[in-house]
Amino acid sequence: SPTLERAMKNALDLGGQVMLLLNRRGYSTYLHCPACGHVEQCKFCDLSMTYHRERHITMCHYCGYEKRPPEQCPVCGAGTVAYQGMGTEKLQAEIEAKFPDKVVQRMDSDTMKRPGSHQKALDAFRRGEIHILLGTQMIAKGLDFPNVTLVGVVNADVGLHHADFRASERTFQLLAQVAGRTGRGELGGYVYLQTWQPEHPSIALAVNHDYLTFARDEMKVRRLHNYPPFQRMARLIVRCKDEKAGNDYADRLAAAFRIELDRRKREGEPADLRLLGP
């Protein structure tokens, strides 16, 4: 955003360093056809594929399946496929274009594969050889750089809508942690959050580091829905190369659980268990 760009320029002009968090790796987070709306999905997980430009592949970040990006839509045959969304790879390209005289380093699981590469990048950043450090959550925790005067969070609500009851907690935790990376030296510092939902409790309370209010409100939601810590939860994952066979097995497994729960109820045994799904 223009506001974040100006803030970065000011921080760099004053001799400070910048950290940018975007918790999505890759270049484009999904591919879709403008003609028919088809979104390229993993054939195993039914999740959208992420485009990695450096390797020119699409990848499922859930199971690791890879394939070449389509040159035309596999559904309607249209010759244009749109690359949408932003990951750290695309963010790096944009930052390098806007700040060509600055050294930019990306830290994610794609760039930090070699042994020692993580520590090597952090040491260079600490020595001031890198002006802008951007990456996923691996840059958010436990790092102490007194010369970092600006932390920017790009698309701060990217993790809010995961199908996981811990999504709000994890978003709050990540934002609070990355905000603590700035202002640790004499120069002070600023945090900029780019978000579509500034009123969301995970974001509004993280801005003020109001952990107690967040924890209190989140516990009310957990209690209402019987989520942990008020009830234990076990997750069973069925993996199968054949979708129908996997679904059939999950249904049989669920039916076996229901039969056992009904038996316990009939015989008066403790049975405060719930079956969610499949």
Side-chain angles (χ1 to χ4, degrees):
S1 67
T3 302
L4 179 56
E5 184 179 344
R6 287 195 298 270
M8 290 176 63
K9 185 178 185 306
N10 291 337
L12 294 168
D13 287 347
L14 292 173
Q17 292 170 289
V18 175
M19 296 179 71
L20 297 177
L21 170 74
L22 173 57
N23 207 23
R24 279 287 184 274
R25 60 191 176 97
Y27 191 83
S28 297
T29 52
Y30 68 98
L31 286 68
H32 91 283
C33 173
C36 71
H38 167 74
V39 174
E40 193 70 7
Q41 294 182 319
C42 174
K43 68 177 184 179
F44 300 115
C45 304
D46 288 337
L47 299 175
S48 60
M49 302 282 280
T50 299
Y51 175 59
H52 291 248
R53 189 172 69 170
E54 289 181 357
R55 297 175 57 200
H56 191 54
I57 61 164
T58 58
M59 175 189 292
C60 173
H61 285 176
Y62 189 75
C63 74
Y65 172 67
E66 299 178 3
K67 68 175 183 178
R68 290 289 180 182
E71 296 182 0
Q72 60 185 32
C73 176
V75 175
C76 72
T80 56
V81 177
Y83 292 75
Q84 302 290 340
M86 175 183 284
T88 49
E89 194 179 346
K90 186 175 183 179
L91 177 62
Q92 180 183 11
E94 292 196 2
I95 295 301
E96 288 176 338
K98 293 180 181 296
F99 298 92
D101 59 331
K102 302 300 180 183
V103 179
V104 182
Q105 173 70 55
R106 171 163 56 99
M107 289 186 64
D108 54 29
S109 58
D110 293 325
T111 59
M112 299 288 116
K113 290 182 178 179
R114 294 182 178 179
S117 57
H118 183 270
Q119 192 59 49
K120 183 179 179 181
L122 294 180
D123 290 343
F125 189 59
R126 184 172 285 106
R127 292 192 298 266
E129 298 169 7
I130 297 169
H131 303 108
I132 303 170
L133 181 68
L134 65 91
T136 53
Q137 61 186 2
M138 67 171 60
I139 72 169
K141 302 176 183 179
L143 305 179
D144 184 8
F145 299 111
N147 200 42
V148 172
T149 58
L150 174 68
V151 167
V153 182
V154 181
N155 199 358
D157 34 29
V158 70
L160 281 177
H161 306 296
H162 286 181
D164 190 314
F165 70 92
R166 296 163 294 187
S168 293
E169 176 190 359
R170 288 175 170 174
T171 298
F172 176 89
Q173 181 186 49
L174 185 62
L175 296 181
Q177 286 175 334
V178 75
R181 299 313 103 208
T182 188
R184 303 173 75 90
E186 296 180 359
L187 296 176
Y190 295 89
V191 180
Y192 280 78
L193 301 182
Q194 183 189 71
T195 175
W196 295 100
Q197 298 175 273
E199 75 289 345
H200 193 284
S202 294
I203 294 173
L205 295 174
V207 166
N208 296 312
H209 287 276
D210 191 350
Y211 168 77
L212 293 178
T213 300
F214 175 80
R216 183 194 65 211
D217 293 347
E218 181 68 11
M219 291 291 270
K220 291 179 182 177
V221 175
R222 299 280 184 92
R223 183 186 293 275
L224 179 65
H225 296 287
N226 277 325
Y227 285 139
F230 299 102
Q231 190 175 69
R232 293 184 178 181
M233 181 177 289
R235 181 174 65 161
L236 300 179
I237 300 176
V238 176
R239 298 181 187 273
C240 187
K241 291 183 177 180
D242 181 83
E243 181 179 6
K244 184 178 185 305
N247 286 337
D248 290 345
Y249 181 80
D251 288 336
R252 292 198 305 273
L253 189 61
F257 277 117
R258 291 190 180 97
I259 291 172
E260 174 62 16
L261 291 176
D262 289 342
R263 184 195 66 76
R264 291 189 178 193
K265 290 179 181 178
R266 289 195 308 270
E267 298 180 7
E269 296 182 21
D272 59 338
L273 300 172
R274 292 190 301 157
L275 185 65
L276 306 177

